[in-house]
């Protein structure tokens, strides 16, 4: 898979618990992304801290890591030319209250912390985050 053509998403515990996996995946497909890898799992606190290590030291880091380890999540690699930017547009602003109408975080988020989904913020991070969750044998 060519760099620049994919991004990593996580459907966060709040959205999974509230039955939003199906509606979110339908919108992802509807926006033209191909799901090239996917799994349903629960992170340990240590794994959550490792995934969010770029935010270590920020005031919300500990709560964010605990929240992301609090229940099952869906991880997926989404493929499309310009995937990182296109997906950031589909998910909307970090805070659901600021997010545009129709975005995933506006539709399915509760708060800035429980904001429904994660999306990689650069091609380098898409690569790092995809490798965190998936081996080459799990990418199609
Ligand atoms: P993500 O990385 O999850 O796609 P993002 O890139 O929009 O979100 P980041 O700045 O990378 O936002 O923050 C990572 C996550 O940390 C956010 O999705 C959110 O859940 C949480 N977060 C960010 N800022 C705050 C804050 N001020 N208070 C509480 N939680 C926050
Ligand atoms: Mg981010």
């Amino acid at each position: 898979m060519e760099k620049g053509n994919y991004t990593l998403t996580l459907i966060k515990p709040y959205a999974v618990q509230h039955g939003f996996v199906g509606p979110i995946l339908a919108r992802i497909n509807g926006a033209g992304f191909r799901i090239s890898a996917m799994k349903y799992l629960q992170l340990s606190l240590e794994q959550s801290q490792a995934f969010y290590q770029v935010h270590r030291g920020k005031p919300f880091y500990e709560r964010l890591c605990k929240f992301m380890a609090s229940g099952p999540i869906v991880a997926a690699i989404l493929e499309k030319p310009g995937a990182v930017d296109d997906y950031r547009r589909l998910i909307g602003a970090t805070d659901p209250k600021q997010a545009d109408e129709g975005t995933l975080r506006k539709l399915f988020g509760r708060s800035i912390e429980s904001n429904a989904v994660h999306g990689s913020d650069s091609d380098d991070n898409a690569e790092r985050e995809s490798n965190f969750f998936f081996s080459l044998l799990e990418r199609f």
Side-chain angles (χ1 to χ4, degrees):
M1 210 181 307
E2 211 178 307
K3 205 160 161 176
N5 286 359
Y6 66 91
T7 190
L8 179 102
T9 189
L10 303 175
I11 304 178
K12 299 186 180 187
Y14 168 83
V16 171
Q17 275 152 21
H18 287 77
F20 299 151
V21 171
I24 288 171
L25 291 177
R27 282 179 166 79
I28 287 171
N29 281 148
F33 294 89
R34 193 181 76 84
I35 295 171
S36 60
M38 184 158 72
K39 58 177 72 164
Y40 190 43
L41 71 142
Q42 183 165 357
L43 293 170
S44 69
L45 184 58
E46 292 70 25
Q47 289 166 335
S48 179
Q49 289 166 339
F51 181 78
Y52 279 113
Q53 61 187 339
V54 292
H55 295 303
R56 197 178 294 266
K58 292 186 187 164
F60 59 84
Y61 174 73
E62 293 299 335
R63 280 211 4 234
L64 174 65
C65 292
K66 240 170 122 173
F67 166 65
M68 287 302 288
S70 68
I73 61 173
V74 172
I77 300 176
L78 309 179
E79 203 180 352
K80 186 188 190 192
V84 165
D85 287 348
D86 272 19
Y87 192 60
R88 300 282 291 187
R89 263 193 295 280
L90 181 66
I91 70 182
T94 308
D95 184 349
K97 290 197 283 289
Q98 318 283 334
D100 289 340
E101 292 299 329
T103 59
L104 297 182
R105 284 168 166 173
K106 182 71 166 193
L107 288 164
F108 303 113
R110 176 182 55 179
S111 65
I112 189 162
E113 189 172 89
S114 309
N115 59 5
V117 294
H118 163 85
S120 306
D121 62 10
S122 67
D123 291 333
D124 282 345
N125 281 332
E127 185 177 36
R128 183 184 78 79
E129 293 170 3
S130 297
N131 292 339
F132 183 92
F133 281 99
F134 299 99
S135 81
L136 282 179
L137 292 173
E138 297 169 316
R139 298 170 65 159
F140 302 96

